[in-house]
Structure formats: C-alpha cells, structure tokens
Amino acid sequence: MMKKLLFILNPRSGKGQIKNNLLGIVDTFIKNNYETTLHITQDILDAKNKVISDGEKYNLIVCSGGDGTLNETLSGIMEAGLDIPLGYIPAGSTNDFAASLRLPKNMHKAAEIATGKKTFLCDVGMFNDRYFAYVAAFGAFTEVSYATPQQMKNVLGHPAYIIEGIKKLTSIKSAKISVRYDGNIIEGDFIYGMITNSISVGGFKKLVGKSVYMDDGLFEVTLIRRPKNPLELQEIMAAILMEEMTSNNMYTFKASKLEIHSPEEVPWVLDGEYGGVPKQIIIRNLHQAIKIMHI
C-alpha cells in the first residue's frame, strides 16, 4: 500500500529551477512508494496553513523553496502538534539550513533523501509564540534577507545579500538590548545579534563558532556592540568577512533559553522573514522537537 506525501512547493524561490526538476522529483516520490499531493504556495503563510489544515492526512511532508518556505512548513507541523517527518528540497538563494544539514543542492538527490529511511531529530527555536528553524536575528544586515529584491537574488544568489548588506553600513542603527541567560546579564547598545541553530548563516559557515550541533538543545548566540569609532567598525567588518568572530566588541556564547528586553521597538528576522518588533522576547530551544529526513 502506498504511503501519502504532501509536497509543498514555492515556485518563486531562488532562480525558479524547481520548475525544470518537478517531474523528476515527483517521479522519485512515486518510485519510493509515495502517493503525492502537490500544493503550490500562493501567498505568505499558505504553506503553514496547508500543513495545519491537512497535514495529519499524510505520512510525510516535503517542502521545496527557500528558508521562508521551510519556516512556514516547520511552523505548521509544530503548531498542529504533528509527529510527521519533514523532508526538504532546498531551492532558495542561500539555503543555510540545508547547508548545515549537508543536504545536496541537486534536487533529485535531495528528493531521494526526503523519501529515504533516515531521520534526524533536530532542535527547533521558539521566539515568543512563533517558531524558527535556525536563526532569529536583529540589527545590521537582518532586513537584507527580506528586503533584497527577488530578481536580484535570482541573478546574483548569495552575493546579492552581501551587496545589499554593504549598502546598509552607512545607516547602522544600534538597539538598546538587555539579554539574560543562565544567570548572566549582558546590556548595551548593539548593532547586531543572532540566536542560531545552524552551521551556516547568510552563506557564511564560521560565524557561529565551532562545535555546532543542531540537536544538542543549545543555541549559538552572537552579539555585536556598537563601535565607538570607524576603526572599531573596520575591525568588526574584517572579523565578519574573515569569518572569525574575535573582535573585542563581540559576545559569543551558548544557551538554551534567553530573555531579551528593549525599551524600544527592534525589528527581528526569523529564518530570513520579518519577525515583528517585540520589546520583550523569550527564546527557547525545543530540544530535538522535529524529525528531518536526513542523509
């Protein structure tokens, strides 16, 4: 008897290469004994809503798109309380989560893995009442992921983010932030902060430090203080470009839970999508909360 698979597809992600691979991907699903239902996303939150409404009918849910599509699909599984594995065929411009899981860029190979037998129990982040797969961030560069024109992403890929990020340097604005974790308190003016469960962030693979595990119940946290002068700013940028987070203006640590407070509205990004402007935030690591189809 064939099992049932829900395939959620965002045809606009990346360079739209999924369109040229769709028949082969579906053929792979069927050959691996899955009766496949295809759902093409039409608007924001469509993937999440589809999973919440119909996800329980399926044995496996697979999504293809960028980090936003992944976030919505994962969020749908979590909100609906489904114990269903998630397969991922990366099709975005950067695909940090897929890179961290060592999922192949080749879509047909990724489809084989998505319908294979191996799963990985992956941590999931919770940002107040929202979920994220691998990163919650604020400050410089964060709005680049959702503000960069899709056409520019399609043409240039990862360099598009770098180009847009450099443009933002002339208007860096700091945020007054208080961070509490494990009995510690860090306060100050910060131009950037990220809470991650990923080996790769923004296409950079060493920003989050060493000994990164996506199933250990811990986030990697990076905070960058506002530079006092152009020399300190240059030092920070050099550390980022060299992927060596060694500046005296940077804090790096691990934590399973953080409480973050700010007297002002600070825009956040969750997995590359706009996350709102909350003043009080509790971020928790949900240890091994979701099954990801893996190599």
Side-chain angles (χ1 to χ4, degrees):
M1 182 177 178
M2 294 190 76
K3 295 170 285 187
K4 292 187 176 182
L5 183 156
L6 173 61
F7 184 32
I8 295 176
L9 165 65
N10 180 354
R12 295 166 294 279
S13 293
K15 299 179 181 179
Q17 58 179 320
I18 186 69
K19 299 174 185 177
N20 298 324
N21 291 276
L22 182 56
L23 289 179
I25 290 171
V26 174
D27 184 58
T28 297
F29 293 162
I30 295 172
K31 286 179 177 176
N32 281 285
N33 201 38
Y34 280 99
E35 177 185 331
T36 302
T37 298
L38 174 63
H39 180 80
I40 299 176
T41 59
Q42 303 298 313
D43 204 350
I44 189 171
L45 297 181
D46 190 15
K48 175 182 172 181
N49 293 334
K50 178 63 176 179
V51 172
I52 292 174
S53 64
D54 295 341
E56 64 181 0
K57 302 175 184 177
Y58 299 91
N59 305 104
L60 174 65
I61 297 174
V62 179
C63 67
S64 182
D67 293 333
T69 305
L70 171 69
N71 177 283
E72 284 195 26
T73 307
L74 178 146
S75 295
I77 292 174
M78 295 298 298
E79 286 194 23
L82 302 176
D83 184 20
I84 298 174
L86 172 63
Y88 183 40
I89 300 175
S93 301
T94 303
N95 301 313
D96 287 312
F97 189 76
S100 297
L101 286 174
R102 294 181 288 111
L103 296 178
K105 294 181 180 179
N106 182 289
M107 291 185 168
H108 298 290
K109 291 182 179 179
E112 287 283 358
I113 292 170
T115 50
K117 297 181 179 180
K118 293 184 179 180
T119 60
F120 174 74
L121 286 172
C122 189
D123 296 343
V124 173
M126 194 158 196
F127 179 93
N128 286 343
D129 60 350
R130 294 180 60 177
Y131 297 95
F132 63 94
Y134 75 96
V135 61
F138 72 88
F141 299 107
T142 53
E143 70 180 63
V144 170
S145 58
Y146 62 82
T148 304
Q150 185 63 51
Q151 184 178 7
M152 189 174 183
K153 295 179 188 178
N154 292 347
V155 173
L156 298 178
H158 172 57
Y161 293 101
I162 305 302
I163 293 170
E164 287 296 302
I166 291 173
K167 291 180 182 177
K168 303 296 180 183
L169 289 179
T170 57
S171 57
I172 288 179
K173 181 182 178 181
S174 62
K176 293 185 181 298
I177 296 289
S178 170
V179 179
R180 297 174 181 266
Y181 72 99
D182 297 337
N184 301 299
I185 301 177
I186 297 176
E187 297 179 324
D189 288 345
F190 295 93
I191 61 169
Y192 182 70
M194 64 180 181
I195 296 88
T196 64
N197 185 46
S198 177
I199 296 171
S200 173
V201 176
F204 293 99
K205 296 185 178 180
K206 298 180 182 179
L207 289 183
V208 296
K210 300 178 180 179
S211 301
V212 176
Y213 302 98
M214 299 172 70
D215 62 348
D216 62 357
L218 295 172
F219 293 119
E220 284 67 42
V221 183
T222 301
L223 300 170
I224 303 179
R225 282 192 179 275
R226 180 179 181 83
K228 297 176 182 178
N229 51 59
L231 185 60
E232 287 190 351
L233 175 59
Q234 184 177 358
E235 176 189 314
I236 290 170
M237 289 307 303
I240 293 173
L241 292 173
M242 295 176 65
E243 300 186 46
E244 296 180 358
M245 306 302 273
T246 55
S247 169
N248 292 328
N249 288 294
M250 298 180 181
Y251 294 91
T252 57
F253 57 91
K254 295 176 182 285
S256 61
K257 179 181 178 181
L258 303 94
E259 296 183 24
I260 301 175
H261 303 272
S262 176
E264 57 194 13
E265 293 184 340
V266 178
W268 282 78
V269 168
L270 306 179
D271 295 337
E273 301 297 321
Y274 182 60
V277 289
K279 294 182 179 180
Q280 298 188 17
I281 304 161
I282 295 178
I283 298 179
R284 293 186 290 127
N285 186 299
L286 306 181
H287 188 210
Q288 299 184 1
I290 194 165
K291 296 176 184 176
I292 304 287
M293 301 307 296
H294 198 239
I295 299 173

